[in-house]
Amino acid sequence: MMQTVRRMELKADQLYKQKIIRGFCHLCDGQEACCVGLEAGINPTDHLITAYRAHGFTFTRGLSVREILAELTGRRGGCAKGKGGSMHMYAKNFYGGNGIVGAQVPLGAGIALACKYNGKDEVCLTLYGDGAANQGQIFEAYNMAALWKLPCIFICENNRYGMGTSVERAAASTDYYKRGDFIPGLRVDGMDILCVREATRFAAAHCRSGKGPILMELQTYRYHGHSMSDPGVSYRTREEIQEVRSKSDPIMLLKDRMVNSNLASVEELKEIDVEVRKEIEDAAQFATADPEPPLEELGYHIYSSDPPFEVRGANQWIKFKSIS
């Protein structure tokens, strides 16, 4: 799964440079242990909401590479029918990428409130980055979650840079796991998938037992820039990126551990790589050949179950029909 996310992101990079993918595009290569490890520690019935670096989570929550790449290229076969793009993908129990920094955190607390209100033994994973960690709305959400003992795991994916600003320059305290004050916190090696999985299991058990929210800080790293418009080397050195790649790459760490423990052979791992590459190539083929949605569908799917109505276009003479 980590290899699939890595190859998918590299393919998205390629398609972006060919101008087949347009607009905002935030890639998560380097952070694969976070999305895959978190999913391994929870149930499919649990909930997850994140910011806009969301391609990996969209995949681990159950959507195919095909649907994700087709969404990135704005085609009909995309998971949001080509209308969401990079930042707005959704799946069952996955409440999407959200484009406003930090805005998903109160929403995550709300999803956790729904879990508690409906008496379901479910938790909500609410993710945000180190860049969003200084936002006031996050602390308001902490307070409510603690008061109401909501089954919410607040997760700070600390990849050391909020856009081009290092954590040391942005935060008076970089111990993000302690920021909850009255909420217990864990600091986790976000480059080690087994660490992430076990910490997530522990946190989920804490929430399910009715003890209220818990915080997790995943210390991770992104290889790409903040988004595709950021080369990523003006505020950090190429050597720094290279060092992380060579010493703590999440895929390399897991491969080495599996081979050294005789859980898999180098040949088996190579076979996985070949299969993954083929899957990504097929998906990219689909994402470039699939048609774009027609303009008439611009107003569709505004409401989930409403009778059709008309939506005004760019001027009052242009009307679009909206069908649920």
Side-chain angles (χ1 to χ4, degrees), residues 246-297:
S246 59
K247 289 186 180 164
S248 42
D249 182 79
I251 299 175
M252 179 191 75
L253 290 177
L254 185 64
K255 276 183 175 176
D256 291 351
R257 191 178 271 170
M258 288 168 79
V259 172
N260 296 338
S261 310
N262 294 323
L263 294 170
S265 68
V266 178
E267 287 68 37
E268 283 176 292
L269 295 174
K270 276 188 181 149
E271 277 173 33
I272 290 175
D273 289 356
V274 171
E275 281 170 29
V276 166
R277 278 172 195 259
K278 187 181 178 313
E279 184 190 349
I280 302 296
E281 279 310 319
D282 291 350
Q285 206 63 44
F286 173 75
T288 46
D290 198 45
E292 292 184 358
L295 188 61
E296 302 78 77
E297 288 184 15

Side-chain angles (χ1 to χ4, degrees), residues 121-135:
D121 191 24
E122 295 165 359
V123 299
C124 180
L125 274 58
T126 302
L127 287 106
Y128 55 96
D130 52 278
N134 302 313
Q135 291 239 336

Side-chain angles (χ1 to χ4, degrees), residues 8 35 48 50 54-64 68 79 86 89-91 94 96-97:
M8 177 174 76
C35 55
L48 192 146
T50 185
H55 307 164
F57 291 104
T58 312
F59 174 69
T60 55
R61 288 263 81 184
L63 289 187
S64 68
I68 296 167
C79 56
S86 172
M89 298 185 187
Y90 307 90
F94 174 58

Side-chain angles (χ1 to χ4, degrees), residues 115-185:
C115 294
K116 184 169 182 173
Y117 185 85
N118 291 326
K120 292 182 173 171
D121 191 24
E122 295 165 359
V123 299
C124 180
L125 274 58
T126 302
L127 287 106
Y128 55 96
D130 52 278
N134 302 313
Q135 291 239 336
Q137 55 184 334
I138 289 178
F139 295 89
E140 293 177 46
Y142 287 170
N143 186 53
M144 286 180 173
L147 272 176
W148 298 335
K149 288 199 168 17
L150 302 181
C152 189
I153 308 175
F154 293 104
I155 301 166
C156 176
E157 278 187 296
N158 175 7
N159 60 20
R160 296 179 20 195
Y161 298 93
M163 293 188 75
T165 307
S166 69
V167 289
E168 294 78 22
R169 287 176 56 221
S173 162
T174 56
D175 289 337
Y176 295 106
Y177 68 107
K178 292 181 181 174
R179 290 281 192 92
D181 186 19
F182 38 78
I183 299 174

